[in-house]
């Protein structure tokens, strides 16, 4: 039976560390604060926002929601994002995407200052991640993967890591962060040939595909560590969600595996808080 790499222990340790860092900032008269920019009120956004607020509360991090109507104009919204960006009280910015279709999302993303861009919306932040410049924040999910690997003391140096998925939100940045730790990376995608064979050659397999339970026992081998980033509607259990990995098929084979739910996804909001605290510390040269 594989060891289940649960997110809760990671979250608890990060909360303890961040609570202290927030207190230390407050002792200097600095109140770190996350700004949440939301257009409209999509249920998914509200759900994530609720989780983010709760996590902020749990470590003493302040937050402010900047809410705009669904039909906000490009001009008004650009101005609003610039104002939040220039607001000295706001250290980190989370903006929900996708934005409504009438807005030029690429342009809006570019208006979020890189030093406050705690979920990597601006391509300038992605550039920093790719250049190993640690003043740019990766998206929260790839950082959550790295924080899990670090917490569970999983060695990366020289290891063969296969990442399935090449999106700018997960696949590509997680590959860059793993390479920063001296792993040897193979990035796979929908056109990769012999995918099961390539995956089975890895020491660590990261699945970021968006296909429920696609990775089954034919993709893995004994001794592997499997990080499942997927969040999908579970075709076998209506109303529940599952990963990109078929847990029941893979878990008996591999050495360690992150569950879904309760794995990578459960670490994402505390990473958002960590990035905001880091942004605040950097903005005050601490
Ligand atoms: P995405 O933008 O749709 O990218 C999916 C990637 O998987 C693409 O690179 C695609 O290849 C590849 N792919 C699709 N079908 C494939 C197949 N049959 N074989 C091999 N590769 C295949 O998705 P994403 O935003 O990266 O998200 C990936 C998963 O992570 C989703 O389940 C999403 O819900 C989840 N997610 C979780 C969190 C979290 O907090 N845990 C955050 C973000 C996303 P091509 O490039 O060739 O199309």
């Amino acid at each position: 039976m594989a060891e289940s790499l649960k997110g809760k222990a990671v979250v608890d340790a990060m909360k303890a560390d961040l609570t202290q860092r927030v207190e230390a900032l407050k002792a200097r008269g600095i109140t770190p604060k996350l700004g949440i920019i939301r257009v409209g009120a999509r249920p998914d956004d509200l759900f994530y926002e609720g989780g983010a607020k709760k996590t902020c509360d749990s470590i003493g991090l302040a937050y402010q929601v900047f809410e705009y109507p669904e039909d906000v104009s490009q001009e008004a919204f650009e101005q609003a994002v610039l104002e939040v960006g220039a607001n000295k009280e706001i250290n980190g910015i989370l903006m929900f995407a996708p934005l409504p279709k009438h807005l030029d999302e690429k342009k809006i993303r570019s208006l979020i200052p890189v030093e406050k861009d705690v979920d990597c919306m601006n391509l300038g932040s992605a550039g920093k991640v790719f250049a190993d410049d640690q003043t740019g924040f990766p998206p929260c999910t790839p950082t959550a993967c790295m924080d899990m690997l670090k917490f569970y003391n999983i060695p990366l140096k020289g290891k063969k890591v296969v990442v399935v998925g090449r999106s700018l939100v997960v696949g590509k940045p997680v590959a860059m962060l793993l390479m920063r730790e001296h792993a040897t990376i193979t990035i796979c995608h929908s056109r990769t040939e012999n995918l099961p064979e390539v995956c089975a050659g890895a020491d660590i397999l990261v699945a970021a595909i968006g296909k429920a339970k696609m990775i089954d026992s034919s993709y893995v081998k004994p001794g592997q560590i499997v990080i499942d980033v997927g969040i999908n509607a579970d075709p076998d259990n209506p109303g529940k969600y599952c990963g990109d990995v078929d847990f029941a098929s893979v878990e008996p084979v591999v050495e360690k595996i992150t569950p879904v739910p309760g794995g990578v996804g459960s670490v994402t909001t505390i990473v958002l808080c960590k990035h905001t605290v880091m942004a605040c510390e950097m903005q005050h040269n601490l």
Side-chain angles (χ1 to χ4, degrees):
M1 208 172 109
E3 181 189 347
S4 183
L5 305 176
K6 297 208 171 78
K8 186 174 183 312
V10 187
V11 172
D12 289 347
M14 287 172 73
K15 277 187 178 171
D17 170 57
L18 290 171
T19 301
Q20 281 186 359
R21 284 161 69 178
V22 169
E23 272 169 18
L25 285 162
K26 287 181 178 170
R28 291 172 177 264
I30 302 164
T31 304
K33 194 174 190 182
L34 172 69
I36 301 174
I37 298 178
R38 172 164 50 77
V39 177
R42 277 190 318 202
D44 281 2
D45 295 349
L46 292 174
F47 181 78
Y48 190 75
E49 184 180 302
K53 285 173 172 175
K54 243 199 223 163
T55 310
C56 287
D57 284 336
S58 73
I59 61 159
L61 180 64
Y63 55 79
Q64 185 173 347
V65 179
F66 299 88
E67 189 180 347
Y68 305 94
E70 185 81 33
D71 61 354
V72 65
S73 71
Q74 175 75 21
E75 197 185 4
F77 191 50
E78 279 184 20
Q79 191 52 38
V81 172
L82 285 170
E83 276 168 25
V84 178
N87 184 333
K88 289 212 170 0
E89 283 183 12
I90 301 293
N91 306 106
I93 295 174
L94 168 71
M95 183 179 76
F96 288 110
L99 294 169
K101 293 252 177 309
H102 69 279
L103 294 171
D104 178 348
E105 183 167 325
K106 203 170 163 197
K107 170 96 189 282
I108 302 282
R109 282 173 175 250
S110 75
L111 302 178
I112 297 176
V114 167
E115 66 275 15
K116 298 187 180 183
D117 188 17
V118 288
D119 198 22
C120 201
M121 302 299 284
N122 185 329
L123 281 180
S125 302
K128 288 196 175 217
V129 174
F130 279 64
D132 278 341
D133 176 339
Q134 305 203 14
T135 63
F137 296 99
C140 294
T141 302
T143 306
C145 294
M146 299 306 292
D147 285 343
M148 289 198 85
L149 290 164
K150 191 164 177 208
F151 179 85
Y152 286 106
N153 293 314
I154 293 167
L156 295 171
K157 191 170 163 186
K159 299 295 175 192
K160 280 184 269 175
V161 183
V162 170
V163 177
V164 189
R166 57 176 164 181
S167 75
L168 204 50
V169 182
V170 191
K172 282 176 184 156
V174 82
M176 291 305 123
L177 297 180
L178 287 158
M179 197 153 52
R180 216 181 256 182
E181 299 302 323
H182 312 294
T184 302
I185 319 295
T186 303
I187 304 181
C188 301
H189 44 77
S190 64
R191 268 31 90 77
T192 299
E193 291 182 358
N194 306 323
L195 187 61
E197 198 183 305
V198 177
C199 291
D203 298 312
I204 300 169
L205 175 62
V206 180
I209 310 163
K211 294 261 183 320
K213 304 183 187 180
M214 188 186 106
I215 303 290
D216 63 17
S217 60
S218 67
Y219 290 72
V220 296
K221 66 168 187 201
Q224 281 184 319
I225 292 154
V226 177
I227 306 294
D228 188 355
V229 183
I231 301 180
N232 312 291
D234 186 339
D236 306 316
N237 293 297
K240 304 259 183 215
Y241 64 96
C242 68
D244 292 337
V245 176
D246 183 350
F247 192 88
S249 164
V250 166
E251 185 267 350
V253 181
V254 300
E255 190 177 315
K256 299 170 200 266
I257 182 167
T258 61
V260 179
V264 175
S266 65
V267 181
T268 309
T269 50
I270 193 69
V271 169
L272 176 72
C273 296
K274 179 177 85 163
H275 284 173
T276 304
V277 172
M278 286 167 71
C280 181
E281 289 167 347
M282 284 196 260
Q283 286 154 29
H284 289 89
N285 298 315
L286 294 170

